[in-house]
Every structure is written in C-alpha cells, then in structure tokens.
Amino acid sequence: MKLHLLDRSDLRHKSISVNRNKYKHFLKVWHYHEQLELVLILKSTGTRFVGDNIEQFREGEVILLGKNLPHMWLNDVAYFAEDNKFEAEAISVHFKEEFMGNGIFTMPELKPVSLLFERSKRGLKYAGDLTEIISKIEQMMNLSDFERVVKLMEVLHLLASHKECTELTTTGYSKVFGHTENKNLEKVYSYIFDNFKETIPLDKVAELAHMNTAAFSRFFKTVNKKTFTRYLNEIRIGFACKMLLEKKYSITDICYESGYNNLSNFNRHFKSITNYTPSDYIKKHLSD
C-alpha cells in the first residue's frame, strides 16, 4: 500500500470538520494527515489498518487517531462485488490539536485532554458503553460552527475519562512515525504492509532505509523494541487473526494467505504472539 498525505483543505478556514460519509465501500487509501481524526463506524465490517495494527472492525466502533498516523478502513470482499447491496457509513471528525487556540490545553483543567492527544498518537479504540459518546458525535452533524466546538470539547472530555480504551500501535511505531527525520522508515513500513504476504528479504528493507543490513537491524530494534522478524510476524499474525474471525477460510488457507509457507511454522509463530493456537483462538473469541 502506497502511503498518501491527504490535504484536508476544508479545515483552512475552520477548526473542525464533521462529515457523514456513505459509500458502497470505504476508500482503499492508506493515508495520513496532520489533523486528529475521530471516527464512528455506523455501517459495514472489514479490516482496520492503523500504523502497525491490523484488526477487524464492525458497526458502532469509535476510534481516535493522532496526527500523521497512517490508517485505512478496508471493507470485506463482498462490499466490492458489482451487485453489492451493502453500505459503508461513518462519521468522521477532523481537527487540529490547537483548534481551541495555542496554549489552552496547558490549563490544569484541560490536562486530561492534553494527555488524550498524546495517547492518540498510537491510535485509541474505545469499548464498553459508548452510548453518550456516540450520541454527542452524531449531534455534531447538525450544529453551528460554534456549537460544534463546544460539543467536541464535551466529546473529548468523555473520551479522556473513558476507562475501556486500547492503544492500537506499538510504542516504537508511533515514536518513529512522528519524526520527519525518519522518512525512510515510512517507505519501510509501507513496503511491509504492501508485501507482508510475500518473502521480505532483510537486505531489501535495509536498502529502502539507506542502511546496510547490520545497521538497519540494530536501528529497527532500537526504535521498535523488537527485531524486524518479530515485527513482520506480528503483522502477519494480526492479519491471520482477522481472517480467523471472519470464519470464511480454513486454517491452512489462512496460513498461506498470511505469508507462511508451511503450517507448523505458522502455528509456532501464532502461539508465540497470541499465546493461543489458531483453533483455540477461534474458540476463545467465539465464546466471548
């Protein structure tokens, strides 16, 4: 997947942009932008890509993305059929950290929101009772510009205090992607996401980072707190977990679709990363 910088030009004269997007399927664009993004999925299912995280998504999902964090919602295959009668619908709210003015979030009363912005650099997924949060996000569609600012502050307050919240990306990924001096690593991550189903030679990704293999291995482990091989396997197993939960494919098919050339190797890595065998993983999540 080629990474795209999207120009949110509608925010040049506004602090907040609120859109209700309705398509046959969401756009297949792996992208990032300087605005934070709050997403409420109203309809459809598929795979959510946020940084180095790959998970299944469904209706009712609330996600907060920090600035410059790559992401994409990819609908299931059925949504791309010519006779598709499905709909993909979501509300997206884009805003800059300083939408209330420079310095306001340094106020002691707003420290929780400031901390929320910092945590959002890794992408945040919310669970539990989201009724009030969802209601306020939906209300933003029909408000004046001033009222939207007030309502967004209410939503951010709720998000900052909500207990059931999961950080999506690894610490290393978010730290690297936030620094412009590591633009070469953007090429590495994009290449991995685009080719994780294939064999990825270490010398190839090292070349993309303009390093020799030894230097790249040391650097990658320093910034990601894991080896390149471990990182690649986590991406593959994350994709495999998504396919397992779809219940459309056999474990053997998923093994090969995830980039492994034999079942024993796949099972070994799956157990190492999830602490479950593929069969036990299915049983656990079907019983939850």
Side-chain angles (χ1 to χ4, degrees), residues 124-141:
L124 301 175
K125 178 177 70 173
Y126 290 86
D129 185 0
L130 301 175
T131 305
E132 187 175 6
I133 293 173
I134 290 174
S135 175
K136 289 184 180 295
I137 293 174
E138 291 178 325
Q139 289 170 28
M140 293 181 71
M141 290 297 306

Side-chain angles (χ1 to χ4, degrees), residues 9 11 27 63 70 77 80 91 191 193 195 216 229 270 282:
S9 56
L11 282 179
L27 302 179
I63 299 289
V77 175
F80 295 91
I91 295 176
Y191 182 82
F193 275 105
N195 297 278
F216 174 77
T229 300
F270 197 99
I282 295 172

